Amino acid sequence: MPLAAEPDDALEEGENQQLLLATKGGPALEGLVVGSYCHDVLIRGGRVVGETLGGAAAFVSNVLDAASPREEEQEAAPFVVVSKVGRDFAYASAPAPARRPPLLCASPTTSFHAQFSEAAASAHAPDRELRRVRACDPIYPADLPDRRFAYGLAVGVAGEVLPETLERMIRLCRAVLVDAQALIRAFDGDGAVCHVSLEDTPYARLLPRVAFLKASSEEAPYVGVETARRRCCVIVTEGRDGCRLCWDGGEARVAPFPAVQVDPTGAGDSFLAGFAAGLLWGLSATDAALLGNFFGAAAVSQVGVPTFHPKMLQAVKEILEDKTTKRSSPCINGTTFTLEKSNMHDELHTALQETVRLMSEQQQADPANGNGGDICST
């Protein structure tokens, strides 16, 4: 599938061609993540049961830092986050800081209240109603860095990624991956989250210039998968059933990984970041979706932005290094994507599944030194 990003005449020709960021550990592909950090308040029975850092940018940067390929000397994966918060932002420093500094503005930080069902088995059961109670300023095209990037992720959660901002991303990035919630989310008079048809938004005309569009099974009817797949590759995440990729002329289903769900917040964001990391490792789109499913499952086992066990991350890195030894270059830096699964797809799934099993056994054997729910468990 061809990529639709196009050169920007406002940038120097040499800068258009240079998509590698020189880092201490050697050249690496630089990414651009656009979407705001949020305050998430978890409520049950009219009582606040938790407050956490939220927003897709927080979950995405967490997984990209954990899973992206880089040299050992590199302290962090090379990507830029453009996010806006107010001066009331509660996570600018430890113990749970935002991984990339946001832009400060006069309006308050975007805040969501997640109301969980009284009938739920636990305070963090998946049955919930999301309500936006405060909204920060949108992200404008002028807020984006004026240089080229290898890839971009548009991951708004509260309408902050404007159509003109997404268009600017497409011009700056060789490949753009978009979360459908950035395009179709709307809010009623009380701030409750609802959805609109993608075809009725200004974003629809941009789809042919997008590489991948991710939607949850709940969002898929508003995206119009059969129409959208003729313009770009659409990925529909289906929770415990894994995900499916749909493109013009083809479709693939990708198996899930077992998970004990504690809080569903950030599962889709973690999936998209894991998927992007898979492309950076040189996997085909369908193979990369395995890594997306893996990190999506890992994310739901904790409340808020998850902390991944170092041994788990090391095991995943070793698997990817073994499976991608012969890759010529990251798929995300090419002019086309390979969408179909490779002949190592099943082996990759088995290896990642084994990592889940071993980490789960280790946690059960030594709960005090386990991961505290950092990974999905059987």
Side-chain angles (χ1 to χ4, degrees):
M1 173 172 286
L3 303 187
E6 57 195 56
D8 192 323
D9 295 337
L11 298 175
E12 295 294 331
E13 181 177 355
E15 193 174 355
N16 275 331
Q17 300 302 319
Q18 184 60 31
L19 299 182
L20 298 180
L21 175 69
T23 64
K24 184 170 62 173
L29 295 173
E30 188 181 19
L32 174 65
V33 177
V34 179
S36 285
Y37 298 124
C38 302
H39 291 160
D40 282 354
V41 180
L42 313 180
I43 302 171
R44 185 180 179 213
R47 182 173 63 90
V48 173
V49 296
E51 297 185 27
T52 69
L53 170 66
F59 289 91
V60 166
S61 57
N62 182 50
V63 173
L64 286 179
D65 269 333
S68 297
R70 63 176 184 266
E71 300 297 328
E72 292 184 1
E73 296 83 356
Q74 293 176 350
E75 295 181 358
F79 62 92
V80 174
V81 173
V82 179
S83 181
K84 284 187 175 179
V85 299
R87 298 191 181 279
D88 61 336
F89 185 54
Y91 302 97
S93 59
R99 289 176 174 265
R100 297 295 198 280
L103 302 173
L104 284 177
C105 56
S107 58
T109 301
T110 298
S111 179
F112 281 91
H113 286 184
Q115 178 71 54
F116 292 90
S117 170
E118 271 292 342
S122 72
H124 307 297
D127 297 327
R128 58 176 187 162
E129 178 186 277
L130 277 179
R131 189 177 304 276
R132 186 185 67 179
V133 296
R134 283 188 292 275
C136 198
D137 291 347
I139 299 171
Y140 298 103
D143 294 321
L144 307 185
D146 194 20
R147 66 177 187 270
R148 291 299 305 275
F149 294 88
Y151 68 98
L153 280 78
V155 290
V157 294
E160 70 269 30
V161 181
L162 303 173
E164 54 267 35
T165 303
L166 177 58
E167 187 164 16
R168 178 64 173 163
M169 286 185 68
I170 291 170
R171 296 184 69 84
L172 292 176
C173 304
R174 176 166 288 185
V176 175
L177 295 74
V178 180
D179 195 319
Q181 67 182 1
L183 314 183
I184 63 173
R185 264 194 181 180
F187 305 90
D188 67 17
D190 293 325
V193 173
C194 53
H195 299 98
V196 297
S197 170
L198 178 57
E199 285 299 308
D200 296 334
T201 72
Y203 300 100
R205 65 179 179 83
L206 299 174
L207 278 192
R209 300 162 64 191
V210 165
F212 297 95
L213 174 67
K214 182 208 73 76
S216 68
S217 55
E218 179 187 1
E219 295 162 342
Y222 299 93
V223 166
V225 174
E226 291 307 310
T227 298
R229 69 190 295 177
R230 297 196 293 268
R231 304 172 184 172
C232 65
C233 181
V234 180
I235 307 171
V236 180
T237 56
E238 299 177 328
R240 67 185 63 187
D241 294 322
C243 69
R244 57 190 173 96
L245 286 76
C246 307
W247 62 91
D248 191 14
E251 185 168 337
R253 184 168 290 279
V254 181
F257 294 92
V260 174
Q261 181 162 287
V262 176
D263 177 13
T265 307
D269 309 320
S270 299
F271 169 92
L272 188 60
F275 175 77
L279 297 179
L280 289 169
W281 276 97
L283 300 176
S284 74
T286 302
D287 292 350
L290 279 174
L291 201 60
N293 282 348
F294 181 90
F295 280 101
V300 304
S301 63
Q302 298 179 59
V303 176
V305 179
T307 300
F308 302 122
H309 196 290
K311 289 185 178 180
M312 184 199 80
L313 296 180
Q314 182 61 32
V316 171
K317 180 180 179 182
E318 291 174 359
I319 291 169
L320 293 170
E321 286 176 342
D322 176 62
K323 300 300 181 185
T324 60
T325 300
K326 297 181 180 180
R327 77 182 191 278
S328 58
S329 63
C331 290
I332 209 165
N333 196 35
T335 55
T336 60
F337 285 106
T338 300
L339 299 177
E340 296 83 359
K341 67 174 63 176
S342 70
N343 55 13
M344 68 166 188
H345 182 89
D346 293 338
E347 293 179 12
L348 179 59
H349 181 265
T350 300
L352 292 172
Q353 185 98 324
E354 181 67 7
T355 299
V356 173
R357 185 186 67 80
L358 292 174
M359 292 303 297
S360 177
E361 288 179 357
Q362 177 180 321
Q363 183 185 3
Q364 293 172 8
D366 188 9
N369 296 314
N371 60 17
D374 294 347
I375 65 164
C376 45
S377 57
T378 56

